[in-house]
Amino acid sequence: MSNNILEINGLKKYFPINKGFFKKKVGDVKAVDDISLVLERGTTLAIVGESGSGKTTFAKTIMRFYAPTEGTINFDERDITAIDQKELKILRQQMQMVHQDPSTSLNPRKKIRDILEAPLLIHKIGNKQQREARIRELINLVELPEEFLDRNPHSLSGGQKQRIGIARALALNPKLVVLDEPTSALDVSVQAKIITLLRDLQKKLNLTYIFITHDLSLVRNFADQVAVMYLGSVVEYSDVETLYNHPLNPYTQSLLSSIPVVNENESKRLPNKIPLDGEIPSPTNMPEGCKFHTRCPYATEECKQRPELKITKYGSKVSCHFAEEISEKKVRVGAK
């Protein structure tokens, strides 16, 4: 068995832009634009970036909620790039998602018992007694009392609802779980408890996670690998310690420099503050060359040519013409 549970090669997901009475195609929204990476079993890959960078679309394409425009997806040593609906239903047992807001992802009219039983019924797993036993096992896995099974979601707190969302995702014993900003709707103290629960479940069940977030402060103690996305592309890809100790793409540096700190020692470990000009460009009208050059303080004419994702001396992969100069602290402010 391969140590890699997921291998992505040249993945693209474009959405056509149609205009006029005849809905003529006039362009594409390049939501996922030529991404390649691998994910080892039992590890966590964090996908980080601003809103609109394509993180969720990338994850949903991997899970085949969207059919890829180009590229290949190999999951658990099987090419799932173009499998049919019947095969997709079987695949759903092995790939599950925990959504961002538990208040909108749980049916308010259903009892918790029914919510947890639904995946088992859809996939025709077990008889009534076996399903009941599994439901009780799930509620205990996420450290909630069994009497919650007869409640409705509105009677639970935000953190408790998210635990139910996690339990539902685990109902079919998946190998890969996509966590789509699972703590962003929660208080900070509850966030820590949910992250601890997810870490414990990963060890206990040998789960592999894709963790989507815009909050880099959560990543260091939770993820193993990090992919930084900007406008549909990965601009930096490395193990978590390398990313924090040697960030080389200016966009990565700007994200890290924006992490809130509580003391001077923490601030010393972060890159110097890098101001970003303007908002993230529209994916319907992307800049030519390096997609970040319109906001980058180091951009020059050379940045109007798209840089390749190249391996650096630290072992990370970075898409930037000046990555080596940044690593040697010889960067300069360019002229756009």
Side-chain angles (χ1 to χ4, degrees), residues 48-193:
V48 302
E50 294 171 283
S51 297
S53 59
K55 305 185 297 296
T56 299
T57 303
F58 177 45
K60 287 185 174 181
T61 306
I62 291 172
M63 295 186 70
R64 284 299 320 277
F65 290 131
Y66 299 132
T69 302
E70 286 185 27
T72 59
I73 307 167
N74 282 280
F75 173 72
D76 203 20
E77 301 186 66
R78 179 188 177 197
D79 188 346
I80 65 168
T81 312
I83 59 176
D84 60 27
Q85 289 299 315
K86 184 177 179 181
E87 292 175 302
L88 272 175
K89 185 177 179 180
I90 298 172
L91 179 70
R92 293 284 177 259
Q93 297 183 48
Q94 301 177 55
M95 305 170 77
Q96 289 288 307
M97 178 176 280
V98 176
H99 298 277
Q100 179 175 354
D101 187 353
S103 297
T104 59
S105 64
L106 302 178
N107 190 330
R109 295 187 178 90
K110 297 287 188 179
K111 292 188 182 299
I112 301 305
R113 171 179 275 102
D114 300 324
I115 290 171
L116 296 183
E117 188 181 23
L120 305 174
L121 289 171
I122 290 169
H123 290 273
K124 298 180 173 61
I125 295 175
N127 56 35
K128 187 172 183 177
Q129 291 74 23
Q130 290 168 329
R131 291 195 298 271
E132 178 66 19
R134 179 58 175 161
I135 290 166
R136 292 182 182 276
E137 181 182 9
L138 289 168
I139 200 83
N140 285 303
L141 264 178
V142 296
E143 301 172 0
L144 290 176
E146 290 184 9
E147 51 262 35
F148 277 31
L149 292 172
D150 294 314
R151 295 188 183 185
N152 291 86
H154 67 79
S155 67
L156 276 58
S157 68
Q160 290 168 344
K161 290 177 188 176
Q162 195 58 290
R163 287 173 187 263
I164 297 300
I166 293 167
R168 180 177 59 183
L170 298 178
L172 301 172
N173 289 311
K175 296 178 180 179
L176 173 67
V177 178
V178 173
L179 307 166
D180 189 1
E181 305 224 27
T183 62
S184 64
L186 306 175
D187 294 337
V188 174
S189 60
V190 181
Q191 286 182 5
K193 293 177 182 177

Side-chain angles (χ1 to χ4, degrees), residues 234-301:
V234 171
V235 297
E236 190 151 359
Y237 176 49
S238 74
D239 66 87
V240 67
E241 286 304 315
T242 299
L243 187 92
Y244 278 81
N245 293 325
H246 304 288
L248 299 184
N249 189 285
Y251 179 62
T252 305
Q253 293 182 342
S254 70
L255 294 179
L256 287 171
S257 68
S258 299
I259 295 176
V261 295
V262 296
N263 57 54
E264 188 176 345
N265 287 333
E266 286 187 1
S267 65
K268 289 178 179 178
R269 293 199 295 267
L270 298 178
N272 294 329
K273 190 76 174 178
I274 296 180
L276 297 182
D277 295 332
E279 301 293 327
I280 187 170
S282 169
T284 63
N285 186 27
M286 291 198 189
E288 294 183 3
C290 174
K291 296 176 182 179
F292 185 59
H293 86 265
T294 58
R295 303 172 71 195
C296 179
Y298 305 126
T300 68
E301 284 296 316

